[in-house]
Amino acid sequence: MNVTSRQFIENKFDYYRWMLEEAPVCQGRLSILHVYFLAGYDDCVSALRDPRLVRNRTTATGGGRFPFPLPKGLTPMISSMITNDDPVHRRQRTLVAKAFTPRALGKLSERIESLTHELLDEAERRNTVDLIPAYSLPIPVTVIREMLGVDEADMPKFRSGLRALSEGFNGWTLLRTLLLDMPRMRSLVEELIERKRSAPRDDILTGLIQAEADGEKLSREELVSMAYLLIIAGYETTVHLITNAVLTLLQHPEQLEALKADTALLDPAVEEVLRYAGPVHGTKPNYAVEDIEIRGARIPKGAAVIPILGAANRDPAVFTNPEVFDIHRPPKKQLGFGHGPHHCLGAALARLETRIAIKTLFERFPNMRLAVPAGELELQSMPLWHRYERLPVVLRP
């Protein structure tokens, strides 16, 4: 099974059904990496808490962090908190968590709501828009820019860096990403850090520079890595969560009508989107520090293991009628943001942005519809993601 193939990307839910029924531990490939994929909900949860599976490949194999050489410019991306293990991971996570307290998120709610209206005011003038660049993308990009304290004058470089981090590791754009975009992004991040050191402000980056845990601060390289992680995790998942939520609700009009009639269903609707059509379908590779056995399958020391979150979220042993989208579904913990020590730190922010985004959108444009047949919507060729190239809509039919 090759999860990078177009066949898999376009038919992933058929593969998940087969895995859950026939191959709960399935060997396959992620690019050139040989991987053991896990499908069952309980197996995924157990694996994400298993101390015998680590994120830092060096711990398991004694080799490099990745099974193939990577350019030095990618170091901040590959040595971040999400590829570290305790105690390094716990220390870094404790420092970053201070930026995502309920109090900090509470202050963002009003700003996100005003931003959604600003964006929809502009979109309304055109009426037919691609919802991703017009709405889904600028919400989290603006929020993370303001949280990091990026000035408006730096936005061209910031947007270029975001585009490279999101789209620049496929096909012919790879060389440009490695030689131009990534060095420019690193330069911007380092410049921002120095600015915050000399002129502290009320933003996350200043907070990370000043934060201490057990008497320790983040090193310069850790700060750069954390900034990259916040930029990527702070917007990329949310862009596609908002997009997938809108599309899924438009494809299930009876569920959308129920939501419009009762806004108390907003929270369960977001959870059901995360389960049914969440954007993230797999974790980073985890490496076995010893021979282990899962469902009778022997996984040798050093092997890569990836829980398929998208399959786990459709496990019939846990979710009744898992292939039915139902915002009235009794609450059970979906795995759209992962589980265990590496559970997404920005999950609460992503939920907040998505909840406000869909509420405002359907309040203002209750009769919005797709501008093209759903069958014409194209999935991006991103392995273990579920995200669309575009989402054309007509706001007022």
Side-chain angles (χ1 to χ4, degrees):
M1 185 174 75
N2 183 1
V3 300
T4 63
S5 72
R6 195 69 202 174
Q7 172 74 15
F8 180 90
I9 288 168
E10 292 180 353
N11 300 280
K12 60 173 71 73
F13 296 109
D14 293 333
Y15 278 92
Y16 296 164
R17 195 180 309 112
W18 169 77
M19 290 177 69
L20 288 163
E21 293 173 358
E22 305 291 340
V25 181
C26 177
Q27 296 187 52
R29 304 200 72 80
L30 174 62
S31 187
I32 67 170
L33 183 65
H34 181 81
V35 178
Y36 289 83
F37 294 107
L38 309 181
Y41 183 96
D42 290 341
D43 291 337
C44 289
V45 167
S46 296
L48 292 171
R49 288 194 170 277
D50 193 334
R52 298 172 300 172
L53 292 169
V54 299
R55 289 290 178 90
N56 189 335
R57 181 175 179 269
T58 303
T59 306
T61 68
R65 276 184 175 264
F66 276 72
F68 44 85
L70 287 174
K72 186 177 179 181
L74 295 184
T75 300
M77 292 180 63
I78 65 175
S79 61
S80 70
M81 182 173 68
I82 57 175
T83 57
N84 283 325
D85 303 294
D86 291 342
V88 174
H89 167 262
R90 189 187 310 115
R91 169 181 161 269
Q92 293 175 332
R93 189 179 178 95
T94 298
L95 288 165
V96 178
K98 297 179 180 181
F100 292 96
T101 62
R103 179 174 171 271
L105 294 180
K107 294 194 295 185
L108 285 172
S109 181
E110 188 174 319
R111 171 63 181 125
I112 295 168
E113 186 163 355
S114 67
L115 176 61
T116 60
H117 283 288
E118 291 169 18
L119 293 168
L120 291 178
D121 286 344
E122 174 61 28
E124 187 173 18
R125 287 192 276 272
R126 289 174 284 157
N127 195 38
T128 299
V129 297
D130 180 349
L131 202 70
I132 296 176
Y135 192 63
S136 305
L137 177 64
I139 294 171
V141 166
T142 303
V143 169
I144 200 64
R145 174 183 75 82
E146 294 180 0
M147 289 177 73
L148 283 171
V150 179
D151 294 329
E152 191 62 39
D154 293 317
M155 277 307 291
K157 287 190 285 187
F158 188 68
R159 289 194 189 96
S160 176
L162 289 179
R163 187 167 55 253
L165 293 174
S166 178
E167 304 168 3
F169 293 95
N170 287 302
W172 296 104
T173 61
L174 179 60
L175 194 59
R176 173 190 166 87
T177 298
L178 296 178
L179 297 181
L180 294 175
D181 295 319
M182 294 304 296
R184 287 173 182 168
M185 190 63 168
R186 181 175 181 118
S187 176
L188 173 60
V189 169
E190 290 180 335
E191 186 180 329
L192 284 171
I193 290 170
E194 290 310 310
R195 276 192 228 159
K196 307 299 179 184
R197 285 192 197 280
S198 58
R201 287 163 54 179
D202 184 19
D203 54 53
I204 284 182
L205 202 49
T206 298
L208 289 176
I209 292 168
Q210 297 175 340
E212 290 191 31
D214 299 324
E216 289 190 51
K217 291 191 173 187
L218 291 168
S219 68
R220 179 186 179 86
E221 194 64 24
E222 285 179 319
L223 282 169
V224 173
S225 292
M226 286 298 174
Y228 270 74
L229 178 59
L230 287 169
I231 289 168
I232 298 169
Y235 94 96
E236 191 166 40
T237 300
T238 311
V239 172
H240 302 288
L241 179 55
I242 294 171
T243 301
N244 293 3
V246 173
L247 174 59
T248 305
L249 287 165
L250 289 175
Q251 291 177 312
H252 297 83
E254 74 292 344
Q255 300 289 311
L256 177 55
E257 289 306 312
L259 178 61
K260 288 190 288 191
D262 182 5
T263 55
L265 290 170
L266 272 168
D267 283 338
V270 172
E271 296 307 300
E272 180 66 348
V273 169
L274 281 160
R275 185 199 70 81
Y276 181 84
V280 181
H281 280 215
T283 71
K284 292 286 185 290
N286 304 269
Y287 297 93
V289 297
E290 60 184 64
D291 291 354
I292 61 177
E293 186 176 299
I294 301 176
R295 297 277 176 184
R298 177 183 170 274
I299 297 174
K301 178 182 177 181
V305 177
I306 294 181
I308 302 288
L309 308 177
N313 279 336
R314 293 194 175 209
D315 188 340
V318 177
F319 302 99
T320 304
N321 298 322
E323 297 188 17
V324 173
F325 178 71
D326 181 9
I327 65 175
H328 299 90
R329 185 179 294 277
K332 287 185 180 178
K333 187 171 177 57
Q334 50 74 28
L335 302 180
F337 286 117
H339 184 78
H342 286 278
H343 179 266
C344 178
L345 195 59
L349 176 59
R351 286 183 170 102
L352 175 66
E353 291 177 275
T354 303
R355 187 169 62 245
I356 294 173
I358 61 177
K359 179 177 182 291
T360 307
L361 179 63
F362 287 115
E363 281 181 348
R364 289 191 53 170
F365 305 108
N367 299 314
M368 184 181 70
R369 63 169 176 81
L370 291 175
V372 298
E376 293 184 11
L377 298 175
E378 184 180 355
L379 287 164
Q380 292 184 358
S381 293
M382 295 289 287
L384 302 182
W385 283 81
H386 186 68
R387 42 196 263 186
Y388 289 87
E389 290 285 359
R390 61 193 189 103
L391 185 63
V393 297
V394 181
L395 298 175
R396 295 192 188 277

